[in-house]
């Protein structure tokens, strides 16, 4: 399944350090988690020097055990990484309802403030085709078209 980009613009548009961080630039799930975790639209710098490490380790977090899969032996679907392939609100929901959420490296580093930011930013996300429906549905046939597309 192709990964959705949560940011409205490509990573290169967010300036340094995103454009120089290879793992973010080349890893859509990592960029998605970083984008939800920090407001790159307002602040072009990391919250601290360890931010990218916390992002990477959070992606490596094994859901069942809480261990970090540093050697990438476990499938993505069994790690937090798998959450970041779903639309942003679904990913945020899965993260915040994870029984081990307080063990996530990003949570350990930034606490509830991170979790609140993640949820806020995830709910600002819009699917690329959502703007097609920014109007009142006055005709049943239009409503049926909306239902067909979102099935």
């Amino acid at each position: 399944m192709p990964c959705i980009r949560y940011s409205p613009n490509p990573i290169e548009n967010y300036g340094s350090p995103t454009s120089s961080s290879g793992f973010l630039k080349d890893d859509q799930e990592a960029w998605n988690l970083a984008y939800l975790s920090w407001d790159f639209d307002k602040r072009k710098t990391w919250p601290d020097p360890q931010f990218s490490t916390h992002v990477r380790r959070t992606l490596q977090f094994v859901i069942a055990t809480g261990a970090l899969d540093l050697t990438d032996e476990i499938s993505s679907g069994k790690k937090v990484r798998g959450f970041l392939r779903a639309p942003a609100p679904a990913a945020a929901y899965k993260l915040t309802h994870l029984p081990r959420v307080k063990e996530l490296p990003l949570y350990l580093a930034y606490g509830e403030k991170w979790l609140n930011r993640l949820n806020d930013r995830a709910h600002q996300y819009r699917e690329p085709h959502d703007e097609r429906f920014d109007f009142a549905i006055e005709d049943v046939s239009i409503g049926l078209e909306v239902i067909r597309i979102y099935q």
Side-chain angles (χ1 to χ4, degrees), residues 82-134:
F83 294 169
L84 282 299
R85 293 182 180 159
Y93 180 85
K94 289 176 182 180
L95 280 165
T96 56
H97 288 83
L98 188 66
R100 298 175 178 270
V101 68
K102 292 185 178 183
E103 297 174 35
L104 294 173
L106 280 165
Y107 186 92
L108 292 172
Y110 309 113
E112 289 294 320
K113 190 174 182 179
W114 166 71
L115 214 48
N116 292 334
R117 182 182 303 120
L118 177 100
N119 275 307
D120 290 345
R121 291 181 59 74
H123 288 91
Q124 294 170 12
Y125 167 82
R126 293 180 56 148
E127 291 280 347
H129 58 272
D130 280 356
E131 66 276 355
R132 293 184 293 175
F133 304 112
D134 283 347

